[in-house]
Amino acid sequence: MSNAANSATSELAKTMQAIVLEQPNQAMTLSELTIAVPDCADNELLVKVEYVGLNPNDGYYAKNGFCQWQYPHVLGVDAVGTVVNAAKGIFPGVGERVMWHASLADQGVLSEYAKVPNYAVAVIPKGVAGEEAAALPCAGMTALIALDKLEVTQGDTILIEAGAGAVGQFAIQFAKLRGADVFTTAAKRNHQLVKKLGADVVFDYQDKKLCEKIRRELGPNGFDAVLDSVGGEATIRNIELMRFCGRIACLKPLPHFDQQLMYRKAPNIGIVSLGGAWLTNSLCAQQKMSFMSNLLLDGIAKDKLQLPQLNLVNFNATEISQALAKQLAGGFTGKQIVKVCQ
């Protein structure tokens, strides 16, 4: 490691345990492998990983792979840990607890150690537990980016799809802080949860008369904004429910749109992509993720933000594979957090 003056390299481990994907497979079968501890450039931190937050995309890519991966590939993008090696003068330094959202294209963070550029991390405030911080990056930043794209302000009406999901839970809370009237969809068993988070009106996403009931509740005007985390036919339905020139932020690939619908509604369509900040080598976007991380951490530290229910998963291939399957099965409302080491 070059210029790693803040820690004695000889004292660091040379190898580490990692959870890897040998090849994409529908069963999401993973393996435990001993690999080399990564070498770091001058602006990179070596972090001893303590917790990793699992996301639906982890399961999707375990099944389907990613075009820039080489195998075996270490999974995981949301991590919390302690800096154990950093170049002289680099902030944050050795001993700081940090949180970050990693590059999808590079090796992931389900390992005992990981490297990350120093400008892409956020220092965790005292009093915020590691497992709490690990629940924040992907879901929390996705919610914030979506609301920024939607330009949600005081008095707006917004529909947040899948309000009981991790992204939905954060989005409901931030939308209310911006003064919006929040409508959301959720399974009946989760209606009380989303109302507690601040949702004004909740609909059963399985209701066959969903559109009719939304229009009855909303009145003649459509939604000013929609956070669409479902995709497919739901995206088309949501545009129908928007006002003319309404705004929609999409987390999933876009469906084929009927041109008459586009002409009639003239929607402003935004795409939300955290991974793009890394895939396009946008330093500005990567730094912005660090700023958003600080906002999320501050919300937890000051008890202004409620986390989804946390479920700890052991650091082994079998349990993580099972957790990813649970994530993709649907109906999961919490955050699964892998405890790597302390």
mmCIF file of all heavy atoms in Angstrom, residues 185-206:
data_model
loop_
_atom_site.group_PDB
_atom_site.id
_atom_site.type_symbol
_atom_site.label_atom_id
_atom_site.label_comp_id
_atom_site.label_asym_id
_atom_site.label_seq_id
_atom_site.Cartn_x
_atom_site.Cartn_y
_atom_site.Cartn_z
ATOM 1 N N THR A 185 -48.963 2.978 -1.162
ATOM 2 C CA THR A 185 -49.547 1.648 -1.283
ATOM 3 C C THR A 185 -48.771 0.688 -0.395
ATOM 4 O O THR A 185 -47.553 0.823 -0.226
ATOM 5 C CB THR A 185 -49.495 1.143 -2.735
ATOM 6 O OG1 THR A 185 -48.126 1.098 -3.182
ATOM 7 C CG2 THR A 185 -50.300 2.044 -3.658
ATOM 8 N N ALA A 186 -49.476 -0.281 0.169
ATOM 9 C CA ALA A 186 -48.841 -1.281 1.036
ATOM 10 C C ALA A 186 -49.818 -2.425 1.249
ATOM 11 O O ALA A 186 -51.028 -2.273 1.046
ATOM 12 C CB ALA A 186 -48.451 -0.664 2.389
ATOM 13 N N ALA A 187 -49.280 -3.571 1.656
ATOM 14 C CA ALA A 187 -50.144 -4.672 2.067
ATOM 15 C C ALA A 187 -50.920 -4.252 3.313
ATOM 16 O O ALA A 187 -50.443 -3.430 4.105
ATOM 17 C CB ALA A 187 -49.301 -5.914 2.355
ATOM 18 N N LYS A 188 -52.112 -4.798 3.478
ATOM 19 C CA LYS A 188 -52.965 -4.399 4.598
ATOM 20 C C LYS A 188 -52.251 -4.528 5.942
ATOM 21 O O LYS A 188 -52.421 -3.693 6.840
ATOM 22 C CB LYS A 188 -54.241 -5.240 4.605
ATOM 23 C CG LYS A 188 -55.265 -4.809 3.560
ATOM 24 C CD LYS A 188 -56.559 -5.592 3.712
ATOM 25 C CE LYS A 188 -57.609 -5.097 2.726
ATOM 26 N NZ LYS A 188 -58.886 -5.840 2.853
ATOM 27 N N ARG A 189 -51.412 -5.572 6.078
ATOM 28 C CA ARG A 189 -50.737 -5.788 7.360
ATOM 29 C C ARG A 189 -49.740 -4.669 7.696
ATOM 30 O O ARG A 189 -49.303 -4.534 8.844
ATOM 31 C CB ARG A 189 -50.010 -7.128 7.356
ATOM 32 C CG ARG A 189 -48.858 -7.213 6.367
ATOM 33 C CD ARG A 189 -48.172 -8.569 6.410
ATOM 34 N NE ARG A 189 -47.067 -8.659 5.486
ATOM 35 C CZ ARG A 189 -47.168 -8.927 4.186
ATOM 36 N NH1 ARG A 189 -48.377 -9.149 3.671
ATOM 37 N NH2 ARG A 189 -46.100 -8.974 3.415
ATOM 38 N N ASN A 190 -49.383 -3.862 6.677
ATOM 39 C CA ASN A 190 -48.389 -2.810 6.895
ATOM 40 C C ASN A 190 -48.988 -1.401 6.912
ATOM 41 O O ASN A 190 -48.245 -0.426 6.983
ATOM 42 C CB ASN A 190 -47.309 -2.877 5.804
ATOM 43 C CG ASN A 190 -46.479 -4.137 5.901
ATOM 44 O OD1 ASN A 190 -46.132 -4.575 6.993
ATOM 45 N ND2 ASN A 190 -46.151 -4.719 4.765
ATOM 46 N N HIS A 191 -50.329 -1.311 6.873
ATOM 47 C CA HIS A 191 -50.961 0.006 6.850
ATOM 48 C C HIS A 191 -50.655 0.809 8.108
ATOM 49 O O HIS A 191 -50.375 2.021 8.038
ATOM 50 C CB HIS A 191 -52.469 -0.127 6.661
ATOM 51 C CG HIS A 191 -52.851 -0.437 5.254
ATOM 52 N ND1 HIS A 191 -54.116 -0.216 4.752
ATOM 53 C CD2 HIS A 191 -52.135 -0.953 4.217
ATOM 54 C CE1 HIS A 191 -54.159 -0.587 3.469
ATOM 55 N NE2 HIS A 191 -52.976 -1.044 3.140
ATOM 56 N N GLN A 192 -50.690 0.169 9.256
ATOM 57 C CA GLN A 192 -50.418 0.877 10.507
ATOM 58 C C GLN A 192 -48.978 1.395 10.522
ATOM 59 O O GLN A 192 -48.713 2.514 10.984
ATOM 60 C CB GLN A 192 -50.658 -0.044 11.704
ATOM 61 C CG GLN A 192 -50.504 0.662 13.049
ATOM 62 C CD GLN A 192 -50.849 -0.242 14.224
ATOM 63 O OE1 GLN A 192 -51.320 -1.359 14.051
ATOM 64 N NE2 GLN A 192 -50.603 0.247 15.432
ATOM 65 N N LEU A 193 -48.035 0.593 9.993
ATOM 66 C CA LEU A 193 -46.632 0.988 9.955
ATOM 67 C C LEU A 193 -46.443 2.264 9.143
ATOM 68 O O LEU A 193 -45.819 3.229 9.610
ATOM 69 C CB LEU A 193 -45.784 -0.141 9.358
ATOM 70 C CG LEU A 193 -44.343 0.219 8.962
ATOM 71 C CD1 LEU A 193 -43.532 0.606 10.185
ATOM 72 C CD2 LEU A 193 -43.686 -0.940 8.218
ATOM 73 N N VAL A 194 -46.977 2.299 7.927
ATOM 74 C CA VAL A 194 -46.733 3.464 7.067
ATOM 75 C C VAL A 194 -47.467 4.703 7.574
ATOM 76 O O VAL A 194 -46.997 5.832 7.382
ATOM 77 C CB VAL A 194 -47.076 3.152 5.591
ATOM 78 C CG1 VAL A 194 -46.125 2.105 5.037
ATOM 79 C CG2 VAL A 194 -48.519 2.715 5.427
ATOM 80 N N LYS A 195 -48.602 4.506 8.231
ATOM 81 C CA LYS A 195 -49.298 5.657 8.820
ATOM 82 C C LYS A 195 -48.477 6.230 9.973
ATOM 83 O O LYS A 195 -48.405 7.456 10.155
ATOM 84 C CB LYS A 195 -50.683 5.238 9.306
ATOM 85 C CG LYS A 195 -51.692 5.048 8.180
ATOM 86 C CD LYS A 195 -53.074 4.683 8.725
ATOM 87 C CE LYS A 195 -54.089 4.537 7.592
ATOM 88 N NZ LYS A 195 -55.423 4.135 8.099
ATOM 89 N N LYS A 196 -47.848 5.363 10.736
ATOM 90 C CA LYS A 196 -46.988 5.819 11.830
ATOM 91 C C LYS A 196 -45.809 6.632 11.301
ATOM 92 O O LYS A 196 -45.336 7.571 11.950
ATOM 93 C CB LYS A 196 -46.491 4.610 12.630
ATOM 94 C CG LYS A 196 -45.658 4.969 13.851
ATOM 95 C CD LYS A 196 -45.229 3.724 14.604
ATOM 96 C CE LYS A 196 -44.356 4.089 15.803
ATOM 97 N NZ LYS A 196 -43.899 2.869 16.533
ATOM 98 N N LEU A 197 -45.329 6.278 10.103
ATOM 99 C CA LEU A 197 -44.214 6.998 9.497
ATOM 100 C C LEU A 197 -44.640 8.346 8.924
ATOM 101 O O LEU A 197 -43.784 9.178 8.611
ATOM 102 C CB LEU A 197 -43.585 6.157 8.389
ATOM 103 C CG LEU A 197 -42.890 4.867 8.830
ATOM 104 C CD1 LEU A 197 -42.481 4.040 7.622
ATOM 105 C CD2 LEU A 197 -41.680 5.178 9.700
ATOM 106 N N GLY A 198 -45.955 8.561 8.770
ATOM 107 C CA GLY A 198 -46.437 9.855 8.312
ATOM 108 C C GLY A 198 -47.337 9.836 7.097
ATOM 109 O O GLY A 198 -47.798 10.908 6.662
ATOM 110 N N ALA A 199 -47.584 8.664 6.515
ATOM 111 C CA ALA A 199 -48.455 8.615 5.333
ATOM 112 C C ALA A 199 -49.843 9.127 5.680
ATOM 113 O O ALA A 199 -50.427 8.762 6.705
ATOM 114 C CB ALA A 199 -48.538 7.191 4.807
ATOM 115 N N ASP A 200 -50.392 9.995 4.803
ATOM 116 C CA ASP A 200 -51.719 10.554 5.045
ATOM 117 C C ASP A 200 -52.824 9.604 4.611
ATOM 118 O O ASP A 200 -53.859 9.494 5.275
ATOM 119 C CB ASP A 200 -51.856 11.879 4.293
ATOM 120 C CG ASP A 200 -50.865 12.923 4.783
ATOM 121 O OD1 ASP A 200 -51.026 13.385 5.923
ATOM 122 O OD2 ASP A 200 -49.921 13.246 4.042
ATOM 123 N N VAL A 201 -52.607 8.927 3.474
ATOM 124 C CA VAL A 201 -53.607 8.004 2.939
ATOM 125 C C VAL A 201 -52.886 6.743 2.463
ATOM 126 O O VAL A 201 -51.855 6.827 1.786
ATOM 127 C CB VAL A 201 -54.379 8.626 1.752
ATOM 128 C CG1 VAL A 201 -55.477 7.675 1.281
ATOM 129 C CG2 VAL A 201 -54.967 9.978 2.136
ATOM 130 N N VAL A 202 -53.427 5.580 2.817
ATOM 131 C CA VAL A 202 -52.805 4.303 2.453
ATOM 132 C C VAL A 202 -53.813 3.455 1.683
ATOM 133 O O VAL A 202 -54.977 3.350 2.076
ATOM 134 C CB VAL A 202 -52.338 3.524 3.702
ATOM 135 C CG1 VAL A 202 -51.525 2.302 3.282
ATOM 136 C CG2 VAL A 202 -51.523 4.410 4.625
ATOM 137 N N PHE A 203 -53.338 2.836 0.599
ATOM 138 C CA PHE A 203 -54.165 1.951 -0.214
ATOM 139 C C PHE A 203 -53.560 0.545 -0.220
ATOM 140 O O PHE A 203 -52.334 0.385 -0.194
ATOM 141 C CB PHE A 203 -54.251 2.457 -1.662
ATOM 142 C CG PHE A 203 -54.822 3.830 -1.786
ATOM 143 C CD1 PHE A 203 -53.985 4.923 -1.920
ATOM 144 C CD2 PHE A 203 -56.195 4.039 -1.772
ATOM 145 C CE1 PHE A 203 -54.503 6.204 -2.041
ATOM 146 C CE2 PHE A 203 -56.725 5.310 -1.896
ATOM 147 C CZ PHE A 203 -55.873 6.402 -2.023
ATOM 148 N N ASP A 204 -54.433 -0.437 -0.290
ATOM 149 C CA ASP A 204 -53.996 -1.824 -0.432
ATOM 150 C C ASP A 204 -53.528 -2.037 -1.871
ATOM 151 O O ASP A 204 -54.315 -1.889 -2.809
ATOM 152 C CB ASP A 204 -55.153 -2.766 -0.103
ATOM 153 C CG ASP A 204 -54.779 -4.237 -0.221
ATOM 154 O OD1 ASP A 204 -53.602 -4.544 -0.533
ATOM 155 O OD2 ASP A 204 -55.674 -5.086 -0.022
ATOM 156 N N TYR A 205 -52.258 -2.373 -2.037
ATOM 157 C CA TYR A 205 -51.715 -2.488 -3.397
ATOM 158 C C TYR A 205 -52.355 -3.629 -4.181
ATOM 159 O O TYR A 205 -52.275 -3.669 -5.413
ATOM 160 C CB TYR A 205 -50.194 -2.648 -3.352
ATOM 161 C CG TYR A 205 -49.700 -4.042 -3.034
ATOM 162 C CD1 TYR A 205 -49.304 -4.911 -4.051
ATOM 163 C CD2 TYR A 205 -49.624 -4.505 -1.719
ATOM 164 C CE1 TYR A 205 -48.846 -6.189 -3.771
ATOM 165 C CE2 TYR A 205 -49.167 -5.767 -1.425
ATOM 166 C CZ TYR A 205 -48.778 -6.609 -2.455
ATOM 167 O OH TYR A 205 -48.327 -7.878 -2.173
ATOM 168 N N GLN A 206 -53.015 -4.571 -3.487
ATOM 169 C CA GLN A 206 -53.662 -5.704 -4.151
ATOM 170 C C GLN A 206 -55.127 -5.431 -4.488
ATOM 171 O O GLN A 206 -55.784 -6.271 -5.105
ATOM 172 C CB GLN A 206 -53.567 -6.950 -3.269
ATOM 173 C CG GLN A 206 -52.140 -7.473 -3.088
ATOM 174 C CD GLN A 206 -52.090 -8.714 -2.222
ATOM 175 O OE1 GLN A 206 -52.746 -8.793 -1.186
ATOM 176 N NE2 GLN A 206 -51.308 -9.694 -2.647
#
